[in-house]
Amino acid sequence: DNLIQDLMQDPEMAAAMEMFAQMSPEEMKELMGELVGILGDDPSTIQAMQEVMEDLSNMEPNEFENALQEMISERHVSRAVDETLLQLADANEEMLDTILEKSDVILESVIESGHLTQEEILLFQNDPEAWKMELKIIWADLQKQANSASAVDVEL
C-alpha cells in the first residue's frame, strides 16, 4: 500500500499513470507500435501487449490505480513467501521446539482465524498432544516445500 501511495505522491509517476490511463485507442496503437519497435516482433508478445493495452484503455483512472496496487501487492506476497520458504529451508529443530512450546498460543490464534472446524477445535483443545502432532505434520510439510523451493532456486 505504501508503495502505491509513494508512486502516486511522485508527481511525474502520477502524471504518467494518469496520462496512460486516459489514452485514446489511437494513442494506444501508436504506443503499441513504439513498444513493438523496442521489444521486437514476436507474435505472442505483441498479442499480449495488445490485450493489456485494450484492457487498460477500458479502465477508469481509479481502476488502473487499483489494478496496479493489486499487482504490487501480489508481488510483495510472492516475495514474502519465497523469503519465508528460504528461511524455513535453513531452519533447525530448535525452531520446531519453540513452536511446540508455544502450541497453546498458536492454537488460539488458529481458532480465532477460523481455519478449524468445531470438531477440530474440540479435539485439539482436549488433546494437546494431537495438536502438537498436527504442528509437527505442518512443520514437515513446510520443510519439504522449503527444500523444494530452495532446490529450484539453486537450479535457476
Side-chain angles (χ1 to χ4, degrees):
D1 287 357
N2 290 340
L3 183 56
I4 287 292
Q5 291 171 352
D6 291 346
L7 286 173
M8 293 309 288
Q9 295 301 320
D10 178 2
E12 289 178 22
M13 181 59 76
M17 289 188 336
E18 182 78 19
M19 185 174 68
F20 188 73
Q22 293 180 358
M23 281 184 174
S24 70
E26 294 79 27
E27 291 169 321
M28 288 274 187
K29 286 180 184 175
E30 184 179 328
L31 179 59
M32 179 73 175
E34 292 173 17
L35 288 174
V36 167
I38 294 169
L39 299 174
D41 59 357
D42 176 46
S44 62
T45 302
I46 293 170
Q47 181 179 353
M49 287 188 333
Q50 286 173 334
E51 290 171 7
V52 168
M53 296 292 227
E54 187 172 324
D55 288 346
L56 290 173
S57 69
N58 293 327
M59 287 184 173
E60 295 294 321
N62 64 332
E63 289 177 309
F64 180 72
E65 183 179 343
N66 290 340
L68 181 61
Q69 185 172 4
E70 187 175 320
M71 281 190 320
I72 290 172
S73 177
E74 288 171 2
R75 178 182 279 165
H76 285 292
V77 168
S78 177
R79 279 193 204 145
V81 168
D82 290 346
E83 289 172 13
T84 301
L85 287 174
L86 289 173
Q87 289 174 350
L88 281 171
D90 293 334
N92 56 28
E93 290 301 311
E94 280 183 37
M95 185 178 253
L96 176 59
D97 291 340
T98 301
I99 290 169
L100 294 175
E101 288 170 13
K102 299 182 184 297
S103 63
D104 55 335
V105 174
I106 295 169
L107 178 59
E108 288 305 313
S109 177
V110 173
I111 290 171
E112 287 176 17
S113 74
H115 286 88
L116 296 176
T117 66
Q118 195 60 38
E119 184 178 293
E120 290 170 323
I121 292 171
L122 291 173
L123 170 67
F124 295 142
Q125 284 179 330
N126 293 323
D127 187 355
E129 289 307 310
W131 176 239
K132 287 183 180 182
M133 183 58 69
E134 183 71 15
L135 289 173
K136 288 177 183 178
I137 292 168
I138 293 168
W139 175 260
D141 287 345
L142 287 172
Q143 288 278 274
K144 282 182 196 171
Q145 289 178 18
N147 289 329
S148 294
S150 84
V152 168
D153 283 348
V154 168
E155 289 175 12
L156 297 176

